[in-house]
Amino acid sequence: MEKIVIKGPTRLTGEVTINGAKNAAVAILPATLLIDGVCTIENVPNISDINITCKILEGLGAKINWIDKHTITVDCRNLTTTKAPLDLTSKFRASYYIIGAMLSRMGEIEVGMPGGCKLGARPIDQHIKGFEALGAEVTVGKGIIHAKASKLIGNSVYMDIVSVGATINVMLSSVLAEGTTVIDNAAKEPHIVDVANFLNTMGADIRGAGTDMIKINGVKKLEGNATYSVVPDQIEAGTFMLAAVATKGDLLIKNCITKHLESITAKIVEVGGEVEDYGDSLRVYCNQRPKKANIKTLPYPGFPTDLQPQMGVVLSLANGTSTINESIWESRFQYTDELNKMGAKITAQGKSAFFEGVEKLYGAPVYSTDLRAGAALIIAGVSAEGTTEIFNLEHIDRGYEDIEARFRALGANIERVKF
Ligand code: UD1
């Protein structure tokens, strides 16, 4: 077993380069199932969720080759089965993309019920509604989802809830369908645009991604044999931005799309931090104790739920009492118990948490309860006085590559040790 040990406090300074987006890559890789050719995907983050996605694709017959640390080729010309490895698909949430892609390509798929971070109930009714609207039959039972369609026909799909996964899944299942599909009340996150751009590069006809209405004109075939580079990770960039503020540091965050970070920039300025925008990089610094602020998480372009715990560390240290209202995931405040072990004064009640700011956090043994909670605990550990030990690293490794090396390069006293 491994743990991360941090000796703080450290004011983070220096430059960090942002990797490709996890949430785009975990959709683009399944999207290669639609392509009758070899795709080269660049800027793929080297994280465990990607390794699992690759193993699932290989289980279906894909040939995957890592060219270098962040580039892979995927050849899905000869798929061999419509049964995805059940143990792997039930390990993480984004395995639901295999359903949309395989329905399109093979007309049938069986996967394990998607797993992932325990953030509360994570239904997939909107995905299923979309597949059924296109003519698929979907059955769910004993932890297995079986979807089948002799033919997919374009249709209108109104999302009852703004869902990233369901929006992408309906795109995946409709690109090769007969006729036109219109997704209304679609999610607008940067990775939705990225998946649409990838599919369009391969010959799809998807219009309006990034707005709340996406139109997909079905095409006969996607040709592939092209190279595509995954968009920079909005959440990883936001994590380092908030790390700069929490540690009263000064970071140059390179290879990011600053437009994707506007809601985070606005909140950083509100708490007294400074953000300089250079288009593809941001300088973020903070010379004072953060001021209080109120946050409500929302679908893009609102403040992302996946940065709520990292923002929670900033607000734990703020001057005054702040409130966070979580509107996406009901169990996203589990990290507050861990921060309280470090001296924070947070009261979580249902969808809200109240942060009575303290001047200092103190090192303590803490447990990463999910992926973004893990990132928040690293930020807390770097800003805290004394030694913090973080356990349950498998959550962090799902979504952050070389996390301790990258914090160490910014001055943190952080290491991963076996125990
Ligand atoms: C994606 C992200 C995740 C992020 C979330 C919200 C990936 C792989 N994961 O998750 O990191 O926290 O977006 O930005 O991209 N819902 C339903 N029915 C459905 C689908 C969703 O009720 O069929 C609800 C969910 O319970 C949740 C809300 O809709 O309350 C948003 O979920 P959704 O956008 O689908 O999240 P994911 O795609 O799973």
Side-chain angles (χ1 to χ4, degrees):
M1 300 244 269
E2 291 180 329
K3 62 182 174 180
I4 283 178
V5 180
I6 305 170
K7 294 192 172 92
T10 302
R11 188 178 160 261
L12 294 176
T13 54
E15 295 181 5
V16 59
T17 300
I18 300 307
N19 288 328
K22 168 182 99 67
N23 287 348
V26 295
I28 286 172
L29 288 173
T32 63
L33 287 165
L34 296 173
I35 292 157
D36 197 13
V38 182
C39 308
T40 304
I41 321 281
E42 298 172 339
N43 208 26
V44 179
N46 205 312
I47 51 178
S48 71
D49 268 8
I50 292 298
N51 293 330
I52 296 174
T53 309
C54 288
K55 284 192 185 132
I56 295 171
L57 295 180
E58 284 171 337
L60 293 167
K63 292 197 171 52
I64 294 187
N65 200 4
W66 284 87
I67 306 290
D68 60 39
K69 196 174 178 191
H70 295 124
T71 308
I72 54 179
T73 60
V74 190
D75 178 355
C76 292
R77 282 176 296 185
N78 297 306
L79 300 180
T80 49
T81 175
T82 56
K83 288 191 170 110
L86 294 184
D87 53 330
L88 295 177
T89 42
S90 53
K91 259 193 186 157
F92 82 126
R93 174 83 174 159
S95 58
Y96 48 42
Y97 293 133
I98 301 293
I99 310 173
M102 285 294 279
L103 260 181
S104 259
R105 174 72 191 274
M106 305 286 276
E108 185 168 8
I109 181 67
E110 198 174 286
V111 299
M113 195 67 185
C117 286
K118 303 278 177 275
L119 303 174
R122 300 189 77 170
I124 58 162
D125 55 301
Q126 298 303 305
H127 303 239
I128 293 174
K129 174 179 159 173
F131 300 144
E132 288 177 343
L134 299 176
E137 268 177 49
V138 185
T139 51
V140 184
K142 297 188 180 158
I144 293 173
I145 302 172
H146 181 234
K148 198 170 175 179
S150 50
K151 190 174 190 182
L152 292 165
I153 299 179
N155 202 347
S156 294
V157 181
Y158 177 82
M159 296 284 166
D160 300 321
I161 213 158
V162 178
S163 162
V164 172
T167 301
I168 292 177
N169 236 339
V170 175
M171 279 184 351
L172 292 174
S173 54
S174 60
V175 276
L176 298 176
E178 190 180 295
T180 298
T181 298
V182 176
I183 309 174
D184 249 319
N185 200 25
K188 298 180 270 198
E189 269 67 4
H191 35 294
I192 289 168
V193 180
D194 206 39
V195 176
N197 287 344
F198 168 71
L199 289 167
N200 284 343
T201 305
M202 303 297 161
D205 183 357
I206 303 173
R207 300 165 193 211
T211 74
D212 57 11
M213 188 192 280
I214 303 178
K215 194 169 168 189
I216 304 116
N217 295 313
V219 296
K220 291 229 159 7
K221 204 173 175 189
L222 300 186
E223 295 289 350
N225 301 324
T227 298
Y228 189 81
S229 184
V230 177
V231 71
D233 196 317
Q234 176 208 21
I235 304 301
E236 190 180 88
T239 299
F240 282 105
M241 290 170 78
L242 294 166
V245 179
T247 64
K248 296 202 194 92
D250 187 344
L251 295 183
L252 183 66
I253 297 159
K254 295 165 77 174
N255 187 38
C256 56
I257 298 178
T258 60
K259 171 89 188 139
H260 295 164
L261 298 161
E262 282 173 351
S263 63
I264 301 108
T265 295
K267 282 294 162 189
I268 287 179
V269 171
E270 193 177 322
V271 301
E274 307 273 352
V275 180
E276 292 171 9
D277 185 340
Y278 301 112
D280 60 358
S281 63
L282 285 173
R283 179 181 171 207
V284 182
Y285 57 101
C286 187
N287 297 323
Q288 55 175 305
R289 183 173 176 196
K291 297 177 205 160
K292 65 181 179 174
N294 296 327
I295 306 280
K296 180 170 185 178
T297 63
L298 289 169
Y300 187 82
F303 192 92
T305 176
D306 286 356
L307 288 171
Q308 191 258 94
Q310 301 87 318
M311 188 73 203
V313 179
V314 172
L315 299 182
S316 301
L317 292 162
N319 193 356
T321 300
S322 309
T323 305
I324 295 184
N325 196 279
E326 169 61 47
S327 74
I328 315 283
W329 300 119
E330 65 209 30
S331 306
R332 185 130 238 184
F333 285 127
Q334 296 170 72
Y335 74 93
T336 59
D337 288 338
E338 304 305 304
L339 284 188
N340 284 344
K341 291 178 189 165
M342 300 177 72
K345 288 191 181 160
I346 311 166
T347 314
Q349 278 169 7
K351 290 184 167 178
S352 301
F354 306 95
F355 294 72
E356 193 187 321
V358 295
E359 276 195 48
K360 263 187 197 174
L361 294 174
Y362 295 91
V366 284
Y367 290 82
S368 168
T369 48
D370 62 68
L371 166 59
R372 306 303 172 184
L377 293 176
I378 291 179
I379 298 172
V382 175
S383 66
E385 196 169 292
T387 301
T388 298
E389 291 176 299
I390 305 175
F391 298 91
N392 289 359
L393 301 189
E394 65 278 8
H395 292 299
I396 301 174
D397 294 337
R398 281 190 37 224
Y400 291 94
E401 180 181 326
D402 291 339
I403 190 73
E404 63 277 10
R406 290 161 84 204
F407 271 88
R408 202 179 304 122
L410 302 174
N413 183 339
I414 177 171
E415 56 180 348
R416 183 180 289 245
V417 295
K418 290 199 186 324
F419 67 98

